[in-house]
Amino acid sequence: MTSTDQERWTRVKNRLRAEVGDDVYSSWFARMELDGSDGDTVKLSVPTRFLKSWIQSHYAERVLACWQAEESACSRIELTVRSAVIRTLTPKCNAAEVALPQREPREIKINGTDLRTTIAPVSAAHDGLGGSPLDPRLTFETFVVGRSNTLAHAAAKQVAQARRGDLVMFNPLYIHSGVGLGKTHLLQSVAWAGNSGAERKVLYLTAEKFMYGFVAALRAQNALAFKEALRAIEVLVIDDLQFLQGKSTQAEFCHTLNALIDSGRQVVIAADRPPSDLESLEERVRSRLAGGLVVEIGSLGEELRLEILKCRAAAAKQHHPGFDVPDAVLTFIAKAVTHNGRDLEGALNRLLAHSKLTAQPVTLEMAEREVRDLIRPQEPKRVKIEDIQRVVARQYNVSRADLLSSRRTANVVRPRQVAMYLAKTLTLRSLPEIGRRFGGRDHTTVLHAVRKIENLVNTDTGLAQEIELLKRQLQE
Ligand code: ADP
Ligand code: MG
């Protein structure tokens, strides 16, 4: 694949995102990748069958249109499901793990090495059964209990405290919630507790890791040993089950689940939705999952957010004695940052970084500045006038020289006005400065253009959408 392909792909993604909006984009397209293009066919892939069929039935034409806007020769999109095998072979497959921020991952190793580094032949499956990294900070001690997570916490605690041979009360324990509400925290707490106190063999795996492990074992013709090793685990903890894909891995997961549950071993699972909504899983797996205890974690209330922040701040202070966060600041963040636990953590990390780098105390004012974009998710990026001219020219099929020229035909006047309006709203340039950059026009001309477009967007929804799209493209 050439680098122009990649660049084009980036533009197509931007276009798509601008058209469908951030939410839709991240739900359906964030994991779509370009596999190549040949002649008139573009090859794209997604990680699950479900995504594939969803995109095909809802967005096929959109995606094609976005490609055609960048590459008119394109007449067909071929969408496939990436196989786990191919993904394990490309270094890219670890991108998610590499991208994890500032944590100091530790491995639980059951008699052996980490799968990530030993994807090549797994000599004996018990050697290959490495767990996913555990974050030392995610334990029961640091988990704050509130109304929205009481039940999930109690159930996880119960599971973690059980001893070998105890009657298993809820099996599987299935925890679900939106992102950042503490599922991984609870699951890792269970893993830590099991590995230290109760001395049961606990294996914590993300669903993706489970797949990679299984596929690697298959390739090494060691699937049987892999299965047996898995079934020797006393507590199996699987995170992000929504990512489990592939017929054979699902079948394997199903066998493992049945084998463990039937022999009284504990299974704990987290996912971003209830079992019934795991549309890519087979019905029998879903019903098995729903057969234990299914608990939802609700969104974090303001009180709970404040408590979490207090704990986090106190923990940070242990490592960074000078890091004092006044209560007023914590209250402000708890009120302002409403999304989820990750943003809370992000907010505190920024304060910490800022106070370390500038050696200044944390104040309300600094907090307001630092977390601004966590409150308003898209902090506008700095946009250049040249970029505006380029993007607008492309959108309206005129040249940049046309925009700067003195031509007054309708097909350039409107784009020119749009470009000036965008220059005024997306940059900090003054009207005279903008005039100069548009072929030496007077600032009153710019003002007129800005007012004109301002009025039009209120009445002309087509134009308003076009402008919204241009803005997004520019701010990407
Ligand atoms: P999920 O797996 O549900 O997406 P995580 O468990 O990764 O969410 O939580 C995101 C962040 O929020 C983590 O830093 C986690 O420690 C923190 N967090 C979430 N809920 C709590 C809680 N009840 N107490 C303490 N920290 C929490
Ligand atoms: Mg998680």
Side-chain angles (χ1 to χ4, degrees), residues 103 138 142-145 149 177-186 239-240 300 304 308 312 340-342 345:
R103 299 204 163 152
L138 301 183
T142 58
F143 190 85
V144 183
V145 185
N149 60 26
S177 78
V179 73
L181 300 181
K183 299 181 296 294
T184 295
H185 193 142
L186 272 183
D239 204 351
D240 285 327
L300 307 171
L304 186 54
I308 292 176
R312 279 288 161 101
N340 62 48
R342 271 178 218 170
E345 187 182 9

Side-chain angles (χ1 to χ4, degrees), residues 56 93 105 171-172 182 209 229 273-274 303 307 421 454 476:
Q56 270 173 338
C93 70
N171 216 4
K209 190 104 181 202
R273 62 200 86 174
E303 257 170 66
E307 278 311 305
Y421 164 82
E454 267 169 4
E476 199 65 50

Side-chain angles (χ1 to χ4, degrees), residues 287-338:
S287 62
R288 187 91 218 207
L289 290 173
L293 178 65
V294 177
V295 219
E296 181 172 6
I297 301 183
S299 57
L300 307 171
E302 189 179 324
E303 257 170 66
L304 186 54
R305 294 200 296 270
L306 184 59
E307 278 311 305
I308 292 176
L309 281 168
K310 284 184 179 163
C311 291
R312 279 288 161 101
K317 195 171 157 58
Q318 292 193 328
H319 295 280
H320 311 278
F323 185 54
D324 279 308
V325 188
D327 281 346
V329 170
L330 294 179
T331 312
F332 161 72
I333 300 178
K335 264 198 205 316
V337 178
T338 51

